[in-house]
Structure formats: structure tokens, C-alpha cells
Amino acid sequence: MEYGTFSTHTTTISLADYRERYQDIERFAACCRQCNNYGQQWVCPPFDFDVRAALDRYDEIHIVGYKVMLAPELTSREYTPEERRLLYGKIMKWARRTTDAELLRLEAERPGSRAFFPGSCQLCGEGRCTRLEGKPCIHSELTRNSLENFGFDLCKTAEELLGIPMVWSRGNGLAEYFLLVGGLCY
């Protein structure tokens, strides 16, 4: 099922500048600790590596915002909290098939680069990550961290660098669009 339409918005900035202006590891680590995925997925904190050091080898970041305009039939009605949660999950899986494939394509075109996906991992399904069993990731060639779990402020990134404010659902409806932000460091 199609849930809406995509538009892609990009910008490139020096990684040093992006880190200085948009990264606050401690602030976003506190947000991550409140998330259900904290310690539950290999792409989510806590990490067994230093995120600062993991970025040190890169000079630039190409930021990609995927604006998903939801179909009017989805945004024109109200939902129960459970209906909204389930629909949101379906929309994210649908959108991430496109965004993740595109970011991996960009990464493949630029040897030595590293893609960052929007949000948490979608590969194994909720509650099925091998991290829960203390085993290595079975999809390590396909998984990527997100910018937010490396401490980047995506609301500020979206508004200031992409010119698109993030919007949120109000009441029992859906927002008119979702904005998924990923990137490519090189």
C-alpha cells in the first residue's frame, strides 16, 4: 500500500561545523535512555564505542531529508491510540524501505563513506534483535546507526539546514507529513 508521496531535500556541510552546531551527545543520550529501543537494538545506545571517535575520520556530511506527504485519506480522520501506533509502524516500514535503500546506494557510490539511517533498526522486527540474546547482529552489512543516536539534533537540522520544520501529530490524528532525516558521512 502507498501511504503518500516522497520528496527529497539535501544539503552538505562540513562535519566539524555540523558537530559544533548540532551535536549534543549528553542531551540526546538522555532522550535515548527513555526510548524502548535503548539497549534493545545493536544500532541504539548504549554503545561499546565512542561516537565522537567514530566520526573523526570524516570531513563532510551530506544530510538527506525525506518528506513523506501522507495521503489525505490518512490525515483526514482520527484514530485510537493503538490504531495510530500500528499505522505509524506500517508507514515507517514502508518509508524506510525507500530511505534505507537510497542511503545504502549513496554509501556504495562513495567508498569509505558511512550512511546514517533515520530512526531505529527495522530489520529484525520489534523485540527480535540478537542484542537481547547477547549475540552479534545478523544484519551487520545492512544496519546503520542514526544521526540522533550519535547525538545530533534533527529538529534543528531539519528546520535550519533543510528548511522544513518537523511536525507532530495532534490529538488523535496524524500529522500531514513525516520528515525522516538521514545522512552520509565522507
Side-chain angles (χ1 to χ4, degrees), residues 2-11 63-70 94-95 98-99 102 118 162-165 176-182:
E2 295 287 321
Y3 293 98
T5 59
F6 281 88
S7 60
T8 304
H9 308 266
T10 65
T11 191
I63 298 166
V64 185
Y66 299 94
K67 186 176 181 180
V68 182
M69 292 297 300
L70 297 177
W94 169 78
T98 299
T99 62
E102 171 69 11
L162 298 174
I164 305 168
E176 69 180 277
Y177 66 85
F178 289 170
L179 184 63
L180 291 83
V181 178

Side-chain angles (χ1 to χ4, degrees), residues 74-144:
L74 296 175
T75 59
S76 63
R77 62 168 289 223
E78 293 192 351
Y79 301 88
T80 67
E82 181 63 10
E83 287 173 330
R84 216 169 66 166
R85 185 186 72 76
L86 291 171
L87 181 56
Y88 174 75
K90 289 176 184 178
I91 294 168
M92 289 303 291
K93 279 186 182 267
W94 169 78
R96 291 283 303 275
R97 279 193 298 275
T98 299
T99 62
D100 296 4
E102 171 69 11
L103 289 163
L104 286 175
R105 185 189 63 75
L106 292 173
E107 183 184 88
E109 290 175 357
R110 191 172 199 102
S113 65
R114 186 67 174 182
F116 286 81
F117 288 165
S120 59
C121 185
Q122 302 283 311
L123 294 172
C124 290
E126 194 172 321
R128 291 193 234 144
C129 180
T130 56
R131 184 175 186 172
L132 298 170
E133 302 166 11
K135 296 178 182 175
C137 177
I138 60 172
H139 299 291
S140 59
E141 72 287 350
L142 296 174
T143 59
R144 299 295 182 271

